[in-house]
C-alpha cells in the first residue's frame, strides 16, 4: 500500500523543493523502503521541450523519451531510480487529455469543470502506476498562491481527505530570511505562507524552513505555535556547500524520523550515510583541480546545463579533483581575440543546443581544441559542430554546414553535412517527421542502442561494444561523408544498430577528442560518474599535469 508525501513551497521559488524531495527519498530508500518521485508542474505548456532554457532551466530526458522538468534529474541522481513519462505532469497535459475526452463525448454532455474533472485527472495521475511502491513523493511546482497551481493544491487536498492522514503527509518548504539591519531571522514569511496554504484546506504536517544560518529553538517554537505544527516537525533546511550534503543535513534534523513517525512505520534496515559522506568529503577536500571551458550560448543561468555540470562534478569526485567550469558565451567567443579566452584551460566542452546563434564561436572552440591538442568533448550539437569544423578545415569543404543554419544550401550531391532527421526507428516502428511538423515532442527522444567499434577510444572508455544512451535532437550527421572524414582521422566509432546514424565521433592523433550525438549527462550519478565524463576529466587532469595552468575562475564570461 503506497503512502503519499506532497511537497509544496511558499514565499519564493527556488527554495529547493526538488532537492528536498530527492534527499528525503534517498533517506527513505536508505531505510529500506521503495520510493518513486513525481513532479506536478502547473504551467500550461504540454512539456518544457519548447521552452527557452534560460526561463525554465534544462530539459531532462527520461529513458522512455519524456521531456521533463530538471528536478527529475535530481530525483534520478539521488535515488538511482529511472524516472518515467508517468512521473511528470503539467497543466498542459491535463487539459489536452481533458479536452480530448470532452470531444469524444466521454462526459456525456455534462458541463466540464475544474472540480471535479480537472482535479480527478490530477488525482488519477498521482495514484497511477504505483504498484509495489512504499512511498510516492510528489512535488508541486511553483509556490502556494499561484493561480495556475490552484487545481493541483485542490487535488492533493482531496487526496488527503480520501486516503486518510495515515497515508498522506504534507511537507511545506518555506523561507526564514535573515534581516541584516535588524540582525535577526524573521518567521513572518513562513507564517503567511502557511496561512495561505491553510486557506485552501491544507494543513502542513512538516515545515522545511530554508535559512542561511541556524534557526534558534525559540524561533522554531514560535513557528510551530503560529503554524499549528509540532516543534519536532519544524525542520531547519540550511544552505549547504554542496547539494550532496543535504541528505545528511536533513537526517541530522530528524526529517526521515518524523516522516516514519507520522506514518507509524519502522525502518526496514539501518540507515548508512557513509557513501554520501565520502562524496561530500571529496567534493570539499579534493587533491587537485582542473579547469574546463564550457562554450555554450545559455551561460547566464547555471540551471540551463544542470545535469552537465553535475556530471562534471561526479567525474571530479571520482578522480578526487575539483572541476572549475569556465563559462564562455559562444557569441562573445566569435571575437578576434577568441583564443585568449581559452588560454589556460585544461579541457573544452561544447554542449547541446539549437539554432545558428553563437555557432561561429563554437566552431572556433573546436578548432582551438583540435589544433592545440586540448582535450575536447562535444555533446549532441557539440558533435555536429565538431564534424562541421573538421570538414571545413581538414577536408576543405568550405560550405560544410547544417540545414538548421541559414545561408546557401550545400552544393555537394551527398547533401548537407548535418541535416534534418526525417525518420528513425523506435521500438520496431519507424517514426517520421518533416520541417512542417510540430516542434514539441517530435525529436529523437529517449534511450537508443549504440554499437561501438572495437578497439576505439569509445570502446576503451565504456569497456563495451554495445551501449544505450538518451537522445534529444532533430538533426543528424550525414553518413555519406564518413569515408572522407576517416581519411583525415575523424572516425564514427559509434553507430546506430542499422549503421545509418552516427552516434560517436573521435579524432585520431589527438590526446582526447570525442563527441557524441546523445546526452550522457542524464545517466551520470554521484556514486558512479558517467564513463565519458570520467575519461574527459581524467584527460584534463593529465593535461594539467603536463602543463600546469593558472585559470581557476568559476565566473561566467558574459
Amino acid at each position: 500500500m503506497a503512502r503519499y508525501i506532497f511537497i509544496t513551497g511558499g514565499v519564493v521559488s527556488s527554495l529547493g523543493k526538488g532537492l528536498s524531495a530527492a534527499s528525503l527519498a534517498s533517506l527513505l530508500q536508505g531505510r529500506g523502503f521503495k520510493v518513486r518521485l513525481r513532479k506536478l508542474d502547473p504551467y500550461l505548456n504540454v512539456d518544457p521541450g519548447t521552452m527557452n532554457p534560460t526561463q525554465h532551466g534544462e530539459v531532462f530526458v527520461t529513458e522512455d523519451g519524456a521531456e521533463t522538468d530538471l528536478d527529475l534529474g535530481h530525483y534520478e541522481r539521488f535515488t538511482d531510480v529511472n524516472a518515467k513519462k508517468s512521473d511528470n505532469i503539467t497543466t498542459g497535459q491535463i487539459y489536452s487529455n481533458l479536452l480530448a475526452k470532452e470531444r469524444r463525448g466521454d462526459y456525456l454532455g455534462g458541463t466540464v469543470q475544474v472540480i471535479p474533472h480537472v482535479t480527478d485527472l490530477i488525482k488519477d495521475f498521482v495514484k497511477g502506476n504505483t504498484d509495489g511502491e512504499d512511498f510516492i513523493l510528489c512535488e508541486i511546482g511553483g509556490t502556494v498562491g499561484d493561480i495556475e497551481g490552484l487545481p493541483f493544491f485542490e487535488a492533493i487536498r482531496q487526496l488527503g481527505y480520501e486516503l486518510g492522514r495515515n497515508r498522506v503527509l504534507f511537507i511545506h518548504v518555506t523561507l526564514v530570511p535573515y534581516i541584516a539591519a535588524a540582525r535577526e531571522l524573521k518567521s513572518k514569511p513562513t507564517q503567511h505562507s502557511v496561512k495561505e496554504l491553510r486557506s485552501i484546506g491544507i494543513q502542513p504536517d512538516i515545515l522545511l524552513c530554508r535559512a542561511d544560518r541556524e534557526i534558534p529553538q525559540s524561533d522554531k517554537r514560535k513557528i510551530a505555535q503560529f503554524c499549528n505544527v509540532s516543534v519536532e516537525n519544524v525542520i531547519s533546511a540550511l544552505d549547504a556547500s554542496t547539494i550532496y550534503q543535504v541528505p545528511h543535513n536533513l537526517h541530522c534534523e530528524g526529517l526521515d524520523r518524523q516522516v516514519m513517525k507520522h506514518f507509524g512505520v519502522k525502518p526496514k534496515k539501518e540507515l548508512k550515510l557513509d557513501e554520501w559522506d565520502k562524496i561530500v568529503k571529496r567534493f570539499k577536500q579534493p587533491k587537485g583541480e582542473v579547469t574546463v571551458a564550457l562554450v555554450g550560448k545559455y551561460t547566464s543561468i547555471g540551471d540551463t546545463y544542470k545535469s552537465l555540470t553535475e556530471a562534471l562534478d561526479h567525474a571530479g569526485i571520482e578522480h578526487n579533483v575539483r572541476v572549475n567550469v569556465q563559462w564562455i558565451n559562444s557569441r562573445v567567443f566569435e571575437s578576434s581575440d577568441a583564443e585568449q579566452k581559452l588560454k589556460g584551460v585544461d579541457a573544452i566542452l561544447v554542449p547541446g543546443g539549437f539554432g545558428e546563434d553563437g555557432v561561429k564561436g563554437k566552431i572556433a572552440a573546436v578548432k582551438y581544441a583540435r589544433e592545440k591538442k586540448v582535450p575536447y568533448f562535444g555533446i549532441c550539437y557539440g558533435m555536429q559542430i565538431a564534424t562541421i569544423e573538421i570538414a571545413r578545415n581538414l577536408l576543405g569543404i568550405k560550405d560544410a554546414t547544417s540545414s538548421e543554419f541559414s545561408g546557401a544550401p550545400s552544393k555537394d550531391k551527398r547533401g548537407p553535412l548535418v541535416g534534418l532527421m526525417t525518420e528513425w526507428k523506435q521500438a520496431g516502428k519507424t517514426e517520421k517527421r518533416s520541417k512542417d511538423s510540430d516542434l514539441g515532442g517530435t525529436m529523437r527522444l529517449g534511450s537508443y542502442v549504440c554499437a561501438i567499434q572495437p578497439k576505439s577510444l569509445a570502446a576503451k572508455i565504456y569497456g563495451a561494444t554495445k551501449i544505450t544512451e538518451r537522445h534529444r535532437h532533430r538533426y543528424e550527421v550525414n553518413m555519406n561523408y564518413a569515408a572522407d572524414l576517416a581519411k583525415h582521422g575523424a572516425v564514427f566509432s559509434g553507430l546506430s544498430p542499422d549503421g545509418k546514424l552516427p552516434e560517436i565521433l573521435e579524432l585520431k592523433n589527438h590526446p582526447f577528442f570525442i563527441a557524441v550525438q546523445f546526452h550522457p549527462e542524464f545517466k551520470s550519478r554521484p556514486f558512479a560518474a558517467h564513463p565519458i565524463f570520467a575519461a574527459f576529466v581524467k584527460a584534463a587532469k593529465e593535461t594539467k599535469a603536463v602543463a600546469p595552468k593558472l585559470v581557476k575562475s568559476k565566473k561566467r564570461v558574459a
Side-chain angles (χ1 to χ4, degrees):
M1 180 179 66
R3 300 168 181 85
Y4 296 87
I5 301 173
F6 296 105
I7 298 97
T8 59
V11 186
V12 294
S13 59
S14 301
L15 283 180
K17 297 192 304 296
L19 282 172
S20 299
S23 296
L24 175 57
S26 72
L27 293 173
L28 293 173
Q29 201 177 48
R31 297 282 196 173
F33 298 106
K34 191 174 181 183
V35 300
R36 177 158 291 284
L37 287 137
R38 288 181 164 163
K39 179 72 183 286
L40 288 70
D41 274 312
Y43 53 74
L44 285 169
N45 305 68
V46 172
D47 58 47
T50 56
M51 296 168 70
N52 189 317
T54 59
Q55 285 190 22
H56 190 262
E58 136 189 300
V59 177
F60 187 81
V61 178
T62 61
E63 284 281 299
D64 56 3
E67 293 178 287
T68 70
D69 183 81
L70 63 83
D71 275 323
L72 272 76
H74 291 311
Y75 302 165
E76 285 200 9
R77 287 187 287 272
F78 275 63
T79 65
D80 201 27
V81 175
N82 285 339
K84 302 176 181 178
K85 288 183 178 180
S86 58
D87 292 328
N88 189 206
I89 196 79
T90 68
T91 298
Q93 291 174 29
I94 291 291
Y95 276 95
S96 292
N97 188 7
L98 179 84
L99 294 175
K101 290 166 70 71
E102 189 274 334
R103 291 291 84 186
R104 288 195 304 265
D106 290 6
Y107 297 114
L108 300 176
T111 301
V112 182
Q113 298 176 289
V114 173
I115 302 174
H117 302 101
V118 171
T119 51
D120 281 353
L121 288 178
I122 295 171
K123 289 189 291 183
D124 289 345
F125 163 77
V126 170
K127 295 186 294 183
N129 192 23
T130 60
D131 293 343
E133 306 289 352
D134 293 313
F135 289 98
I136 308 296
L137 288 80
C138 294
E139 175 194 352
I140 315 301
T143 59
V144 61
D146 294 344
I147 190 169
E148 62 266 27
L150 289 175
F152 290 93
F153 287 108
E154 171 60 20
I156 65 174
R157 182 200 66 78
Q158 291 179 21
L159 283 172
Y161 174 77
E162 293 167 7
L163 297 175
R165 299 314 301 269
N166 63 325
R167 288 187 62 193
V168 173
L169 170 72
F170 293 105
I171 296 177
H172 192 52
V173 185
T174 186
L175 180 67
V176 180
Y178 177 77
I179 306 301
R183 290 187 291 181
E184 62 179 335
L185 290 164
K186 291 294 184 180
S187 64
K188 192 63 72 175
T190 293
Q191 294 176 40
H192 278 293
S193 183
V194 172
K195 181 181 178 182
E196 183 75 23
L197 191 62
R198 293 175 68 183
S199 72
I200 55 180
I202 297 174
Q203 167 62 52
D205 302 294
I206 294 176
L207 295 178
L208 284 184
C209 300
R210 283 299 310 275
D212 65 355
R213 63 202 66 209
E214 200 67 43
I215 302 175
Q217 195 65 19
S218 59
D219 284 356
K220 286 187 176 183
R221 286 194 294 269
K222 181 179 179 181
I223 291 171
Q225 183 178 26
F226 277 93
C227 297
N228 200 32
V229 175
S230 66
V231 69
E232 295 83 5
N233 284 353
V234 178
I235 306 291
S236 296
L238 305 184
D239 294 350
S241 57
T242 168
I243 61 173
Y244 300 119
Q245 193 174 341
V246 176
H248 200 153
N249 289 355
L250 292 179
H251 168 68
C252 290
E253 281 286 320
L255 177 59
D256 50 320
R257 181 179 64 250
Q258 293 304 113
V259 168
M260 290 187 294
K261 180 180 177 181
H262 173 91
F263 288 113
V265 297
K266 294 182 179 180
K268 296 182 179 181
K269 65 179 184 181
E270 182 184 355
L271 177 66
K272 295 182 179 180
L273 295 172
D274 298 355
E275 285 297 313
W276 284 115
D277 293 341
K278 180 181 176 181
I279 287 171
V280 171
K281 183 177 179 180
R282 283 201 165 194
F283 185 86
K284 287 185 173 181
Q285 302 171 6
K287 292 184 178 179
E289 61 182 359
V290 296
T291 299
V292 173
L294 192 153
V295 184
K297 66 178 188 178
Y298 307 120
T299 55
S300 60
I301 299 177
D303 277 354
T304 55
Y305 299 112
K306 191 61 180 175
S307 290
L308 196 154
T309 54
E310 291 300 312
L312 287 171
D313 281 341
H314 302 162
I317 290 167
E318 179 167 316
H319 291 291
N320 209 2
V321 296
R322 175 175 290 111
V323 179
N324 295 316
V325 177
Q326 177 110 345
W327 299 84
I328 300 178
N329 191 303
S330 55
R331 302 177 186 90
V332 176
F333 192 64
E334 295 173 4
S335 62
S336 57
D337 64 339
E339 286 194 9
Q340 297 299 318
K341 295 179 174 62
L342 289 176
K343 283 188 176 180
V345 303
D346 303 306
I348 297 170
L349 191 155
V350 174
F354 295 92
E356 189 173 6
D357 187 26
V359 69
K360 291 181 181 179
K362 293 182 180 182
I363 291 175
V366 174
K367 186 174 185 289
Y368 181 93
R370 180 178 58 80
E371 293 182 343
K372 303 295 183 182
K373 304 296 183 182
V374 178
Y376 175 79
F377 183 16
I379 297 176
C380 193
Y381 194 73
M383 172 177 165
Q384 297 169 12
I385 295 299
T387 310
I388 291 172
E389 191 280 326
I390 291 169
R392 288 183 182 181
N393 297 311
L394 291 184
L395 276 64
I397 307 175
K398 298 303 180 184
D399 65 346
T401 189
S402 169
S403 59
E404 185 177 9
F405 308 153
S406 59
S410 173
K411 296 178 181 178
D412 196 300
K413 62 182 180 180
R414 293 172 291 186
L417 181 64
V418 179
L420 180 68
M421 178 175 44
T422 56
E423 66 176 50
W424 64 95
K425 292 185 177 180
Q426 185 174 34
K429 297 180 180 179
T430 300
E431 302 281 344
K432 295 185 178 182
R433 78 178 303 276
S434 71
K435 64 180 181 179
D436 298 318
S437 298
D438 288 344
L439 294 179
T442 58
M443 292 181 277
R444 185 148 73 106
L445 292 165
S447 184
Y448 287 85
V449 175
C450 170
I452 297 178
Q453 190 180 98
K455 298 182 180 179
S456 63
L457 173 60
K460 180 182 177 181
I461 289 172
Y462 278 99
T465 55
K466 184 179 180 181
I467 61 166
T468 59
E469 291 284 4
R470 302 183 195 180
H471 290 247
R472 183 179 183 255
H473 60 103
R474 293 189 179 90
Y475 293 81
E476 293 275 5
V477 177
N478 190 337
M479 269 297 289
N480 292 324
Y481 289 86
D484 283 352
L485 287 165
K487 291 176 184 177
H488 291 80
V491 178
F492 292 130
S493 59
L495 299 171
S496 59
D498 60 8
K500 293 182 179 179
L501 303 176
E503 298 277 21
I504 303 175
L505 171 75
E506 56 187 70
L507 190 62
K508 307 295 183 182
N509 302 316
H510 192 285
F512 188 93
F513 191 107
I514 192 165
V516 298
Q517 185 58 75
F518 43 82
H519 287 267
E521 66 269 27
F522 294 144
K523 297 182 75 169
S524 186
R525 304 287 185 263
F527 305 110
H530 190 282
I532 298 185
F533 279 91
F536 178 57
V537 169
K538 181 182 178 183
K541 186 178 177 181
E542 291 170 349
T543 299
K544 188 179 187 72
V546 173
K549 307 296 192 261
L550 298 176
V551 177
K552 297 180 181 179
S553 173
K554 270 192 159 184
K555 295 180 180 179
R556 292 180 173 83
V557 179

